[in-house]
Amino acid sequence: MRYKEEMDALQASDSLKKSIASLQAPKKHYGKRIAALAAAIVIVLFAGVVSIPALTKSGASYDKNSSIDEMALSEDFDGLYDYTNESKEIAAGATSQSQNFTAADLPAGRKLIRNAELRVETKTFDSFYDAVLKQVSALSGYIQSTEVSDYADNARYASVVVRVPADKLDTFLQSVSALGTVTWQSTDVKDVTDEYVDVESRIAALETEQTTLLELLKKADSLTDVLEIQGRLTEVRSTLETYKAQKKALDSQIDYSAVTLEIQEVERVTPVEQSSFFGQVRQNLSDNLYAIGQSLRGAALWFLSSLPYIALWLVGIGAVVLVVVLVRRRRRR
């Protein structure tokens, strides 16, 4: 108020009063405010794009590198029980203490079904995949099923089920371990001796009955006897074929072990050997630096691919700022 009164009392021209007022009025630093706002927007965008790849990677790690507990058997058969269920989990900082059962550890003279599951990481997907198929062929095995898929980051994944002769299963598992990095392995042996003996006994009994019915059919005099014998003979033959098919399936499972391979293409394989304290520190540091590098790579990829949208945002922000500046200048006039 005092400043205004002094200005009113000042005997000077209007133009001189305006010049003096403009010199004395506090200056508003709009440029600094706009720069601070733009810097805040850039920081928020950068923090978002850096954190998104890291969060995505940590969320996807469950599918690729998560440890798996020992798998329970999902089927129960009469007269069928587990002889062993040996599971080996290999991950950073954790190794299995289970005994590695081989064919030499199994009892002789038993009907055993031995299967295995492996999770393998490799940097060279194509060469590893081809080498596994060649090894299966060299061991006189065959491919039962295969499925290959691609992830968003161009990493490939394959689920392959192969059948190899049971006496060559250990050789095949060793060859896979030499070709890639096995991060998880599970083997199980099922004793089906009782079931197998039961099926053989039923087949023998039905074949004997079938022979007897055929002899009776040759001696039958009446049409009623012929029809009755033929009806029973049809039932026996149908049941006999069912048990023969069951025995054939058991023979196939006993003679050829099923191996399920989950093959994951990675840029860095998971360490499988437990190292010392400082070795683990170095490994964790290396993993964190790698994760940061991947996050920065993802941020750069996002930023470059989003330049058109960023340009539109900047144009919109610039237009808003320009309108605000023009409005404030008009109010000062």
Side-chain angles (χ1 to χ4, degrees):
M1 292 295 295
R2 182 177 180 182
Y3 172 75
K4 188 174 182 303
E5 291 175 357
E6 291 178 354
M7 288 295 296
D8 293 339
L10 182 62
Q11 299 297 325
S13 61
D14 294 337
S15 60
L16 181 58
K17 290 181 180 180
K18 288 182 179 180
S19 299
I20 296 174
S22 63
L23 292 174
Q24 297 294 331
K27 297 181 179 180
K28 296 183 179 179
H29 302 284
Y30 293 104
K32 291 183 178 180
R33 295 182 180 180
I34 295 172
L37 178 62
I41 293 174
V42 171
I43 292 173
V44 170
L45 291 176
F46 181 77
V49 298
V50 168
S51 60
I52 288 174
L55 291 174
T56 304
K57 181 179 179 182
S58 62
S61 63
Y62 174 81
D63 297 329
K64 298 181 181 179
N65 300 319
S66 61
S67 60
I68 302 179
D69 295 332
E70 183 172 350
M71 298 180 64
L73 294 175
S74 59
E75 299 178 63
D76 292 322
F77 298 95
D78 294 335
L80 175 63
Y81 62 92
D82 298 336
Y83 183 78
T84 63
N85 185 17
E86 179 261 338
S87 173
K88 182 169 58 179
E89 179 182 344
I90 309 173
T95 56
S96 174
Q97 301 298 326
S98 302
Q99 181 181 0
N100 186 17
F101 290 97
T102 62
D105 302 316
L106 302 176
R110 306 291 295 181
K111 296 296 183 180
L112 305 175
I113 298 176
R114 189 165 179 241
N115 299 323
E117 296 185 19
L118 290 88
R119 182 165 295 179
V120 188
E121 293 180 352
T122 178
K123 294 181 180 180
T124 56
F125 183 89
D126 293 326
S127 60
F128 176 82
Y129 187 79
D130 293 339
V132 168
L133 298 186
K134 289 180 180 178
Q135 184 66 15
V136 172
S137 178
L139 296 176
S140 301
Y142 61 93
I143 306 297
Q144 180 172 310
S145 65
T146 180
E147 180 181 357
V148 180
S149 57
D150 294 334
Y151 287 117
D153 55 357
N154 296 325
R156 285 167 292 180
Y157 169 84
S159 178
V160 184
V161 179
V162 302
R163 303 294 295 271
V164 296
D167 57 346
K168 299 178 181 179
L169 175 62
D170 296 326
T171 302
F172 178 73
L173 296 179
Q174 292 172 3
S175 65
V176 173
S177 299
L179 293 172
T181 301
V182 178
T183 59
W184 181 77
Q185 177 177 324
S186 174
T187 59
D188 66 270
V189 179
K190 301 175 184 178
D191 191 328
V192 294
T193 304
D194 294 340
E195 182 182 2
Y196 195 89
V197 171
D198 180 68
V199 171
E200 284 188 324
S201 300
R202 292 177 183 273
I203 290 176
L206 289 170
E207 287 179 342
T208 301
E209 184 178 359
Q210 179 180 239
T211 302
T212 303
L213 290 172
L214 290 174
E215 293 294 332
L216 291 175
L217 185 61
K218 292 179 181 179
K219 299 177 181 180
D221 296 331
S222 64
L223 180 61
T224 303
D225 293 339
V226 171
L227 294 176
E228 184 178 354
I229 294 172
Q230 285 183 341
R232 177 56 186 167
L233 187 60
T234 300
E235 294 178 1
V236 169
R237 286 174 173 172
S238 175
T239 307
L240 182 60
E241 290 300 320
T242 300
Y243 280 109
K244 284 184 176 181
Q246 186 175 351
K247 181 178 180 293
K248 184 178 179 180
L250 288 174
D251 286 332
S252 176
Q253 296 178 51
I254 293 169
D255 296 338
Y256 282 83
S257 297
V259 182
T260 303
L261 286 172
E262 296 183 7
I263 307 170
Q264 178 62 54
E265 184 179 26
V266 296
E267 294 183 2
R268 287 164 57 92
V269 296
T270 302
V272 297
E273 295 182 357
Q274 188 173 12
S275 59
S276 62
F277 172 78
F278 292 103
Q280 292 181 16
V281 170
R282 287 194 299 269
Q283 182 63 42
N284 291 339
L285 180 61
S286 177
D287 291 341
N288 290 333
L289 291 176
Y290 176 77
I292 292 174
Q294 290 297 102
S295 298
L296 292 176
R297 180 177 179 272
L301 180 63
W302 177 89
F303 179 77
L304 294 176
S305 60
S306 303
L307 281 177
Y309 294 100
I310 294 175
L312 291 176
W313 295 343
L314 293 177
V315 170
I317 293 172
V320 172
V321 172
L322 180 61
V323 169
V324 171
V325 171
L326 293 176
V327 169
R328 290 190 175 183
R329 285 184 178 177
R330 281 191 178 182
R331 289 179 178 176
R332 286 190 298 173
R333 293 179 181 177

